[in-house]
């Protein structure tokens, strides 16, 4: 559940272009034939996505072909997210070779991959995430004509000149091809989206339509509608609503959307004259109508000159996006003219980039930036070669979600530029150029931003991570790539009392189908050590609670440098928070729910702790808790419903699929993962052999057992 307040393998694969025809346009209508041709959705694997996206959106996603160009850390994160989401195909493009700098951000790569083509080196481990997705590579130059094979194309390392050429082609193509350009440069990142001249958003926010139960409707102009006061209405001025089951004033039951205004907690006025309507008697349900929204995107060539409003993520930096818009253009000019990145710590290179930025700014006329922050541009220039894992992970999630929006039409897309920086993450004391020099290690990219001294502190840190599910897998990967707890004096302790289920595989990417039934913490720790063999990690299966304080005792807590929460319930969060407060340890707290997320950094004596403010009650139980530790009536009811559906709906459906087409079923079983195929076959065998029902009485007997 989401706590807290929201803010926001081996071998070359044949080119995809000879295999996959281009499907229909992005964001097709619900009766789109492409959606009908999409493969059946494995509900056990994609249950969480189905709950967020819906079946029609998932079918559109399953029919989409996507190109990811540039397989440094950012490209790898985007590809990982798309493969887990289950698009039809992902084509990787990169003509560069793996070097040591890539190992601090691309978790698919290792030292043995140095010198190989980046795209080809990523294929084996990427394919393990989802065998149903076609993964292929392009290792040479990319032409704009090749883009016609895709619904969406993503570029993570491309010049502005080339990006303009590709975007113009995508924008004018029929149907338009969604174009995304994203970069991560040190502690700075950017995203640009162009989904075509007219892009239809079918569902702006993905939320269920708000409803209310009518208590009274006046015969007036405008009419006043009052609702029962047991739950506040969530309507806003301008919303469209429809009425149903109204007795008396039946004229409102015509299904016509009507606009509301003056929305209050339990009432609103209707922009309609009801004086001539029947008198309201009783009943009635009012439901929000969510009309589609059409967005008209500018091309990159147009938008870079007139960017319009930037998406803000930090209102304390409201003047930052225009400056970063200049900075990324200046870096592009620097790379074009000097054929390299600025050297970390070089004052001369930083000054060159600043001069480029000032020159570009002067050419903007009235829309130029009033003041250029030279210190910020120096930081930008110094770390611009580095692709840092935390930044790549963050932007990989954002861009992956934008691709889903482009292919499905669900959720409002990013419109059109987004810039972000985390310059406050730099050490307080000034960094010397000598401290930023590469050491010929896998951490060189990180050293070029934070310095060698901080890198050594990270390697010696002692961290406690509670939980190794969806967030836990991401955190473990990030910690391993950053080198945290990777020296002899460092140690990472991870604990989780849950085991791996099939539904985990669509988002907990450190697990594979052959790990089903195994402890999450053990498998996740082993996978993290494969990413960075120097990681010192201990995996436990203990629940962190008052009952296990003999394991996580005072000496254990005193030894820690920081704590990371990757939990799914408030009770456990409150307990860990209380221990961190008692022992004065920093705590990284976070949570996700569908497409929403939050994070909170708790620093002793500096910020409020997690328990200082309370969350609203949980509306639904976390599924991993339901399946493993149902300890209240809501958990037990949810568990019983899940078991009922599995036995009386999913199993008969599986058997009927086999009986209707045995050969096709067998073919599908061969191509499925081992655990998936075994699970399905066991269901079929159980119904047709071990528990076969010959008579109606047999059915009654089977059902009662």
């Amino acid at each position: 559940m989401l706590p807290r307040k929201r803010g926001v393998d081996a071998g070359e694969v044949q080119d995809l272009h000879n295999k996959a025809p281009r499907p229909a346009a992005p964001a097709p209508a619900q009766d789109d034939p492409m959606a009908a041709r999409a493969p059946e959705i494995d509900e056990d694997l994609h249950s969480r996505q189905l709950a967020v996206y819906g079946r029609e959106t998932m079918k559109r996603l399953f029919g989409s072909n996507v190109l990811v160009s540039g397989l440094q850390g950012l490209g790898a994160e985007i590809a990982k997210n798309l493969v887990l989401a289950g698009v039809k195909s992902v084509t990787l493009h990169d003509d560069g070779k793996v070097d040591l700098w890539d190992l601090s951000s691309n978790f698919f790569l290792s030292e043995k991959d140095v010198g190989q083509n980046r795209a080809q080196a990523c294929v084996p481990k990427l394919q393990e995430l989802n065998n149903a997705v076609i993964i292929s590579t392009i290792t040479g130059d990319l032409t704009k004509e090749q883009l016609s094979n895709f619904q969406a194309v993503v570029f993570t390392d491309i010049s502005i000149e080339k990006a303009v050429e590709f975007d113009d082609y995508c924008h004018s193509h029929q149907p338009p091809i969604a174009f995304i350009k994203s970069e991560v440069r040190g502690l700075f990142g950017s995203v640009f989206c162009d989904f075509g001249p007219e892009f239809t958003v079918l569902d702006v926010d993905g939320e269920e339509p708000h409803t209310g139960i009518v208590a009274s409707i006046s015969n007036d102009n405008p009419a006043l509608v009052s609702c029962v006061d047991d739950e506040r209405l969530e309507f806003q001025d301008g919303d469209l609503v429809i009425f149903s089951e109204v007795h008396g004033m039946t004229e409102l039951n015509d299904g016509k959307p009507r606009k509301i205004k003056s929305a209050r907690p339990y009432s609103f006025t209707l922009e309609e004259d009801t004086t001539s309507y029947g008198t309201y008697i009783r009943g009635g349900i009012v439901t929000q109508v969510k009309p589609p929204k059409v967005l008209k995107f500018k091309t990159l060539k147009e938008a870079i000159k007139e960017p319009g409003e930037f998406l803000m993520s930090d209102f304390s930096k409201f003047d930052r996006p225009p400056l970063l818009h200049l900075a990324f253009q200046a870096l592009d000019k620097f790379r074009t003219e000097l054929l390299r990145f600025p050297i970390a710590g070089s004052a001369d290179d930083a000054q060159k980039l600043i001069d480029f930025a000032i020159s570009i700014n002067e050419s903007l006329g009235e829309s130029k930036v009033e003041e250029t922050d030279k210190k910020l541009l120096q930081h930008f220039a110094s770390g611009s070669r580095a692709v840092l894992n935390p930044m790549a992970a963050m932007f990989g999630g954002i861009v992956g979600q934008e691709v889903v929006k482009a292919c499905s039409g669900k959720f409002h897309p990013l419109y059109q530029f987004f810039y972000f920086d985390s310059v406050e993450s730099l050490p307080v004391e000034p960094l010397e150029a000598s401290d930023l020099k590469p050491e010929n290690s896998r951490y060189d990219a990180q050293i070029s931003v934070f310095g060698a001294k901080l890198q050594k502190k990270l390697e010696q840190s002692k961290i406690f991570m509670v939980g190794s599910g969806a967030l836990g897998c991401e955190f473990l990967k990030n910690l391993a790539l950053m080198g945290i707890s990777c020296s002899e004096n460092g140690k990472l302790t991870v604990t989780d009392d849950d085991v791996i289920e099939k539904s985990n595989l669509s988002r907990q990417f450190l697990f594979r189908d052959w790990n089903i039934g195994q402890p999450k913490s053990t498998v996740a720790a082993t996978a993290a050590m494969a990413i960075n063999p120097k990681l010192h990690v201990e995996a436990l299966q203990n629940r962190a609670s008052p009952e296990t304080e003999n394991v996580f005792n005072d000496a254990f807590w005193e030894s820690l440098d920081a704590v990371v929460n990757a939990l799914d319930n408030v009770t456990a969060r409150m307990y860990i928070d209380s221990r961190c407060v008692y022992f004065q340890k920093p705590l990284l707290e976070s949570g996700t729910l569908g497409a929403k997320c939050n994070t909170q950094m708790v620093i002793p004596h500096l910020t409020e702790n997690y328990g200082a403010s309370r969350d609203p009650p949980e509306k639904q139980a976390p599924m991993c808790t339901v399946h493993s530790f149902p300890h209240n009536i809501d958990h037990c009811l949810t568990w019983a419903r899940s078991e009922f559906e599995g036995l009386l709906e999913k199993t008969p459906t599986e058997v009927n699929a086999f009986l209707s087409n045995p050969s096709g079923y067998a073919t599908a079983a061969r191509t499925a993962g081992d655990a998936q195929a075994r699970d399905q076959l066991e269901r079929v065998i159980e119904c047709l052999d071990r528990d076969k029902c010959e008579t109606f009485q047999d059915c009654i007997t089977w059902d009662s057992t």
Side-chain angles (χ1 to χ4, degrees):
M1 58 83 62
L2 175 67
R4 279 297 167 261
K5 303 164 277 288
R6 272 69 135 178
V8 195
D9 270 288
E12 184 174 342
V13 181
Q14 184 180 357
D15 195 318
L16 175 64
H17 306 139
N18 298 324
K19 298 179 182 177
R22 174 174 169 77
Q30 289 193 358
D31 57 354
D32 173 32
M34 192 61 208
R37 294 196 299 270
E40 286 299 314
I41 299 172
D42 185 339
E43 297 189 15
D44 289 336
L45 180 63
H46 294 289
S47 58
R48 309 301 174 85
Q49 281 178 266
L50 274 169
V52 177
Y53 294 146
R55 190 171 299 276
E56 293 303 320
T57 298
M58 289 289 290
K59 286 183 177 180
R60 296 187 199 108
L61 194 60
F62 282 13
S64 300
N65 301 317
V66 184
L67 170 75
V68 178
S69 176
L71 266 297
Q72 294 176 318
L74 176 56
E77 291 286 345
I78 296 168
K80 176 256 291 181
N81 293 332
L82 294 176
V83 170
L84 289 172
V87 297
K88 180 179 180 181
S89 71
V90 175
T91 298
L92 312 176
H93 167 251
D94 200 316
D95 57 5
K97 297 186 183 300
V98 179
D99 61 30
L100 278 176
W101 280 64
D102 295 321
L103 302 186
S104 64
S105 60
N106 187 329
F107 67 98
F108 293 127
L109 304 176
S110 62
E111 281 85 350
K112 67 179 182 180
D113 296 315
V114 173
Q116 296 184 39
N117 175 269
R118 280 198 201 100
Q120 292 177 344
C122 291
V123 170
K125 293 179 182 177
L126 191 59
Q127 188 68 75
E128 285 183 1
L129 299 179
N130 193 339
N131 286 325
V133 178
I134 302 170
I135 301 175
S136 56
T137 61
I138 300 174
T139 57
D141 291 337
L142 190 67
T143 64
K144 59 186 181 183
E145 289 74 21
Q146 288 174 295
L147 305 183
S148 62
N149 294 285
F150 307 99
Q151 279 65 57
V153 295
V154 182
F155 294 89
T156 66
D157 189 14
I158 187 175
S159 68
I160 292 178
E161 181 183 9
K162 197 68 177 177
V164 166
E165 177 189 345
F166 285 161
D167 178 54
D168 285 344
Y169 178 84
C170 293
H171 190 88
S172 59
H173 191 276
Q174 290 300 324
I177 304 164
F179 176 92
I180 301 174
K181 179 182 183 294
S182 183
E183 292 181 83
V184 166
R185 304 298 177 198
L187 290 170
F188 302 81
S190 72
V191 182
F192 168 80
C193 294
D194 174 12
F195 293 174
E198 288 192 354
F199 179 81
T200 302
V201 186
L202 302 176
D203 186 348
V204 172
D205 57 13
E207 300 288 345
E208 288 294 320
H210 302 312
T211 62
I213 301 174
V214 178
S216 68
I217 307 174
S218 67
N219 291 90
D220 208 343
N221 184 20
L224 175 65
V225 180
S226 299
C227 295
V228 297
D229 59 1
D230 60 342
E231 189 169 342
R232 293 172 65 95
L233 298 175
E234 297 186 61
F235 298 135
Q236 296 181 356
D237 290 0
D239 279 356
L240 295 175
V241 296
I242 59 173
F243 290 84
S244 60
E245 303 179 29
V246 176
H247 293 264
M249 196 178 288
T250 57
E251 292 89 346
L252 294 180
N253 293 332
D254 57 4
K256 171 187 170 184
R258 292 170 165 85
K259 185 178 289 189
I260 68 173
K261 61 180 182 180
S262 302
R264 298 189 181 99
Y266 305 105
S267 65
F268 57 86
T269 55
L270 203 61
E271 287 193 351
E272 186 151 350
D273 183 357
T274 61
T275 54
S276 62
Y277 291 1
T279 302
Y280 174 83
I281 299 175
R282 60 182 171 81
I285 297 173
V286 57
T287 305
Q288 179 190 26
V289 176
K290 300 169 67 175
K293 182 177 181 179
V294 177
L295 297 175
K296 297 183 178 181
F297 286 84
K298 297 178 183 177
T299 64
L300 177 60
K301 186 177 182 179
E302 297 168 331
I304 204 165
K305 295 177 182 177
E306 298 179 3
E309 291 188 11
F310 298 98
L311 175 65
M312 296 295 298
S313 63
D314 186 345
F315 288 96
S316 69
K317 301 177 180 179
F318 69 93
D319 58 342
R320 194 67 58 80
L323 181 58
L324 295 184
H325 188 63
L326 279 179
F328 277 92
Q329 293 179 68
L331 178 61
D332 178 77
K333 191 169 184 180
F334 186 104
R335 293 182 65 190
T336 301
E337 294 193 7
L338 279 72
L339 302 178
R340 62 175 176 83
F341 283 100
I343 297 172
S346 170
D348 291 341
D349 281 0
Q351 188 58 50
K352 284 189 179 72
L353 186 138
I354 292 171
D355 292 341
F356 284 140
I358 292 174
S359 174
I360 295 170
N361 190 40
E362 292 299 325
S363 68
L364 297 179
E366 295 182 359
S367 59
K368 71 177 183 180
V369 176
E370 292 295 329
E371 184 178 350
T372 54
D373 186 338
K374 294 184 178 180
K375 185 175 181 181
L376 184 77
L377 292 175
Q378 287 173 349
H379 290 315
F380 178 83
S382 182
S384 59
R385 185 188 168 191
V387 179
L388 300 178
N389 166 252
M391 293 290 293
M394 172 187 165
F395 276 84
I398 293 173
V399 174
Q401 190 67 20
E402 292 307 308
V403 173
V404 170
K405 296 174 187 177
C407 295
S408 68
K410 186 149 189 172
F411 301 111
H412 197 293
L414 195 157
Y415 189 84
Q416 293 190 255
F417 280 104
F418 171 63
Y419 291 101
F420 175 84
D421 75 87
S422 184
V423 71
E424 59 273 12
S425 299
L426 288 170
V428 177
E429 62 277 4
L431 294 169
E432 300 294 333
S434 58
D435 197 34
L436 302 173
K437 289 183 178 179
E439 299 180 348
N440 196 34
S441 76
R442 64 180 296 149
Y443 311 119
D444 280 349
Q446 202 159 267
I447 289 172
S448 73
V449 175
F450 296 112
K453 293 179 183 176
L454 180 58
Q455 182 61 43
K456 286 183 174 59
K457 288 184 179 180
L458 294 177
E459 293 175 32
Q460 295 172 357
S461 58
K462 296 178 176 62
I463 307 295
F464 181 34
M465 195 173 84
V466 190
S468 55
L471 279 173
C473 284
E474 287 287 343
F475 292 153
L476 274 171
K477 175 257 298 177
N478 296 349
L479 297 175
L481 288 172
M482 293 172 68
I484 292 177
S485 305
C486 288
S487 74
E488 291 184 1
N489 296 326
K491 184 178 180 181
L492 170 62
T493 304
V494 56
T495 188
D496 195 315
D497 57 356
D498 201 4
V499 296
I500 299 166
E501 299 177 4
K502 185 177 180 180
S503 64
N504 301 147
L505 304 182
S506 64
R507 66 201 187 285
Q508 298 175 22
F509 66 96
L510 295 182
F511 308 145
R512 303 293 179 264
D513 58 358
W514 55 82
N515 298 132
I516 292 175
Q518 298 176 14
K520 284 186 176 180
S521 59
T522 304
V523 175
T526 302
M529 284 190 288
I531 294 173
N532 189 342
K534 293 185 178 179
L535 178 66
H536 286 185
V537 58
E538 180 183 9
L540 303 174
Q541 287 84 52
N542 303 97
R543 173 182 292 195
S545 66
E547 291 74 27
T548 57
E549 289 184 3
N550 61 321
V551 178
F552 307 113
N553 54 28
D554 289 5
F556 171 81
W557 281 95
E558 292 286 1
S559 69
L560 298 176
D561 294 309
V563 180
V564 179
N565 268 356
L567 292 161
D568 64 359
N569 66 91
V570 172
T571 303
R573 286 182 166 96
M574 295 293 287
Y575 172 73
I576 297 298
D577 175 68
S578 67
R579 301 298 281 172
C580 289
V581 170
Y582 183 83
F583 290 99
Q584 301 185 40
K585 301 298 178 182
L587 170 66
L588 174 60
E589 165 57 43
S590 55
T592 65
L593 178 64
K596 303 183 183 75
C597 66
N598 76 283
T599 186
Q600 178 181 356
M601 193 70 236
V602 180
I603 307 295
H605 311 297
L606 185 63
T607 69
E608 74 169 12
N609 64 302
Y610 175 83
S613 57
R614 294 295 177 128
D615 298 301
E618 296 184 48
K619 292 186 177 181
Q620 60 185 30
M623 289 308 294
C624 51
T625 301
V626 167
H627 286 299
S628 300
F629 305 100
H631 56 270
N632 63 36
I633 188 63
D634 292 335
H635 295 168
C636 294
L637 288 171
T638 305
W639 174 85
R641 179 178 177 181
S642 176
E643 289 295 302
F644 180 88
E645 290 178 351
L647 289 171
L648 300 182
E649 180 181 339
K650 292 181 180 179
T651 297
T653 299
E654 201 68 49
V655 174
N656 288 335
F658 170 77
L659 293 175
S660 62
N661 186 6
S663 60
Y665 186 91
T667 302
R670 291 191 192 98
T671 58
D674 292 341
Q676 178 181 344
R678 183 174 64 249
D679 181 58
Q680 292 173 341
L681 288 173
E682 284 178 352
R683 292 182 184 181
V684 174
I685 293 170
E686 181 180 357
C687 271
L688 296 183
D689 183 17
R690 293 196 294 264
D691 294 335
K692 185 176 181 180
C693 298
E694 300 285 355
T695 66
F696 182 73
Q697 184 59 43
D698 290 340
C699 295
I700 299 297
T701 304
W702 174 82
D703 182 54
S704 64
T705 58

